[in-house]
């Protein structure tokens, strides 16, 4: 599909005039292929450039169907809801994940530091390598790539537990992310600077949560045109039920409020987790988007390498109607002075 999609593009090494109409037209068509690559590989995220920013690349979030706007204490929140990075168990946390498709490979990573007052700073990067578009391989009509194709997003986040800092009657955290996105095919690149903001409220000793996120506020483009990043407004809810000391259940739900406000059918993501002995987790999720209904699932285990310093390994698989399964492996480790979440509310 990718090879036929690029068949109409012609690029010659001796082309030096990058501003003539033919070259600009070629760059515009290359941008169209970037749009196409992202949407065909990941049908949930739409059909325009930079949509890869909304792809879940974490095994935990993926196994919940992509829900997570109302989570807390998760370093992966730097990509979902920046306020959810509050409440990490220790001063330092690191995370990484990798997923392999036939057509592309997805990766993500993050590092966070939590101060004694609960404020958290985090930095992360994620991206995609399109395995079907290799560098230096000539395609039909003489078109070839020197750089291949890839997507990259890097961001820094800050989150504040305002409820605890101000002694409010409810727990409440807010956060913000500032990031840079890049999408490349050969010598054509789409750049964007984006910001995301979010908040999470906690009730009933943090067992009930509600969250809201506005993602990808910003502007980007190429030399030829301006492009708006894929804006999302997500409403989330979560609940944790301690059935017995050795067994707890957790449910998460996300709804795309923006598409609903625009009169469309909103994307809905939901999932449930069964945690056994605070060690082993089994998860099942679903996502409804673009008139498709797909299932996700996963499992994980948490170990304590030292007192209060958990090491987690998580796996998930997700289905997509057009391309089959995606397998994702994530690992995270927390270390340093114990911080943790307050549970007074």
């Amino acid at each position: 599909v990718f090879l036929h999609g690029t068949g109409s593009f012609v690029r010659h090494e001796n082309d030096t005039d990058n501003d003539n109409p033919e070259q600009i037209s070629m760059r515009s068509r290359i941008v169209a292929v970037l749009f196409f690559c992202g949407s065909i590989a990941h049908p949930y995220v739409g059909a325009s450039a930079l949509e890869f920013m909304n792809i879940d690349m974490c095994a935990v979030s993926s196994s919940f169907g992509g829900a997570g706007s109302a989570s807390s204490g998760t370093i992966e929140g730097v990509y979902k809801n920046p306020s959810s990075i509050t409440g990490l168990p220790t001063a330092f946390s690191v995370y990484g994940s990798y997923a392999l498709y036939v057509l592309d490979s997805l990766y993500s990573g993050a590092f966070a530091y939590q101060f004694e007052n609960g404020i958290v700073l985090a930095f992360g990067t994620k991206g995609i390598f399109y395995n079907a578009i290799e560098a230096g391989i000539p395609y039909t009509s003489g078109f070839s790539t020197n750089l291949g194709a890839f997507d990259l997003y890097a961001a820094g986040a800050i989150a504040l537990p305002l409820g605890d800092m101000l002694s409010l009657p409810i727990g409440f955290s807010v956060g913000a992310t500032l990031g840079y996105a890049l999408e490349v095919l050969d010598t054509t690149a789409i750049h964007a600077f984006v910001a995301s903001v979010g908040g999470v409220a906690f009730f009933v000793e943090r067992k009930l949560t509600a969250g809201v996120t506005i993602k990808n506020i910003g502007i980007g483009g190429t030399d030829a045109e301006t492009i708006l990043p894929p804006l999302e407004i997500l409403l989330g809810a979560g609940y944790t039920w301690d059935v017995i000391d050795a067994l707890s259940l957790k449910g998460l739900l996300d709804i795309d409020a923006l598409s609903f406000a625009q009169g469309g059918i909103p994307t809905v993501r939901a999932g449930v987790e069964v945690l056994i002995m605070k060690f082993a987790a089994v998860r099942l999720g679903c996502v409804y988007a673009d008139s498709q209904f797909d299932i996700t699932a996963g499992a994980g285990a948490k170990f304590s390498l030292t007192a209060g310093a958990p090491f987690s390994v998580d796996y998930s698989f997700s289905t997509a109607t057009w391309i089959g399964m995606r397998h994702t492996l994530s690992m995270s480790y927390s270390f340093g002075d114990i911080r943790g979440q307050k549970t007074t509310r």
Side-chain angles (χ1 to χ4, degrees):
V1 173
F2 291 108
L3 301 187
H4 288 294
T6 57
S8 61
F9 305 143
V10 180
R11 180 181 186 275
H12 302 289
E13 293 301 323
N14 59 357
D15 284 337
T16 58
D17 184 4
N18 292 326
D19 295 321
N20 66 61
E22 182 180 356
Q23 289 290 76
I24 293 176
S25 177
M26 182 196 72
R27 289 200 297 269
S28 298
R29 286 178 289 175
I30 290 176
V31 171
V33 169
L34 285 173
F35 297 173
F36 177 73
C37 290
S39 62
I40 192 70
H42 305 280
Y44 300 144
V45 297
S48 63
L50 303 175
E51 293 281 3
F52 78 94
M53 298 166 61
N54 292 333
I55 298 173
D56 286 299
M57 300 184 186
C58 168
V60 176
S61 179
S62 295
S63 58
F64 273 104
S69 293
S71 294
S72 179
T74 60
I75 186 174
E76 305 91 338
V78 68
Y79 306 117
K80 177 69 70 172
N81 183 344
S83 65
S84 65
I85 61 177
T86 59
L88 293 169
T90 60
F92 299 93
S93 297
V94 293
Y95 146 84
S97 74
Y98 181 78
L100 177 65
Y101 260 138
V102 174
L103 298 179
D104 49 34
S105 301
L106 295 76
Y107 67 90
S108 65
F111 170 81
Y113 176 73
Q114 184 172 202
F115 295 90
E116 291 185 4
N117 60 3
I119 296 176
V120 181
L121 295 177
F123 303 90
T125 182
K126 70 176 183 177
I128 303 175
F129 290 106
Y130 291 100
N131 304 326
I133 306 180
E134 300 182 13
I137 302 298
Y139 299 119
T140 55
S141 302
F143 177 84
S144 65
T145 66
N146 292 331
L147 305 174
F150 67 90
D151 300 324
L152 174 68
Y153 173 66
I158 183 172
L160 297 82
L162 288 184
D164 296 328
M165 296 173 67
L166 302 177
S167 299
L168 298 177
I170 63 170
F172 186 76
S173 295
V174 296
T177 299
L178 181 63
Y180 169 74
L182 171 66
E183 197 160 37
V184 170
L185 176 60
D186 194 26
T187 57
T188 297
I190 303 172
H191 307 265
F193 291 95
V194 297
S196 300
V197 294
V200 178
F202 312 96
F203 311 92
V204 195
E205 296 184 340
R206 293 184 180 267
K207 297 183 185 298
L208 177 64
T209 60
V212 60
T213 312
I214 305 176
K215 296 177 58 179
N216 307 328
I217 308 165
I219 192 169
T222 68
D223 294 339
E225 59 186 313
T226 299
I227 296 172
L228 295 178
L231 182 68
E232 275 195 338
I233 301 178
L234 302 175
L235 301 179
Y239 186 74
T240 301
W241 177 32
D242 295 322
V243 182
I244 57 177
D245 289 341
L247 179 67
S248 65
L249 301 177
K250 179 180 180 180
L252 291 174
L253 171 69
D254 275 12
I255 297 177
D256 180 6
L258 181 60
S259 61
F260 180 77
Q262 293 174 340
I265 300 176
T267 297
V268 178
R269 300 178 175 91
V272 63
E273 174 190 78
V274 179
L275 182 62
I276 304 170
M277 301 293 293
K278 297 182 179 180
F279 164 72
V282 179
R283 308 178 184 98
L284 180 65
C286 63
V287 54
Y288 179 79
D290 299 332
S291 300
Q292 299 181 57
F293 182 85
D294 288 299
I295 299 297
T296 65
K302 182 179 292 186
F303 312 88
S304 291
L305 302 183
T306 59
F311 174 78
S312 301
V313 179
D314 295 281
Y315 163 80
S316 74
F317 76 84
S318 55
T319 63
T321 303
W322 297 342
I323 54 176
M325 286 187 182
R326 181 181 74 185
H327 301 271
T328 305
L329 180 66
S330 297
M331 291 182 287
S332 61
Y333 178 51
S334 298
F335 58 96
D337 296 336
I338 297 176
R339 299 284 197 259
Q341 298 176 328
K342 295 183 180 181
T343 58
T344 57
R345 298 179 179 83

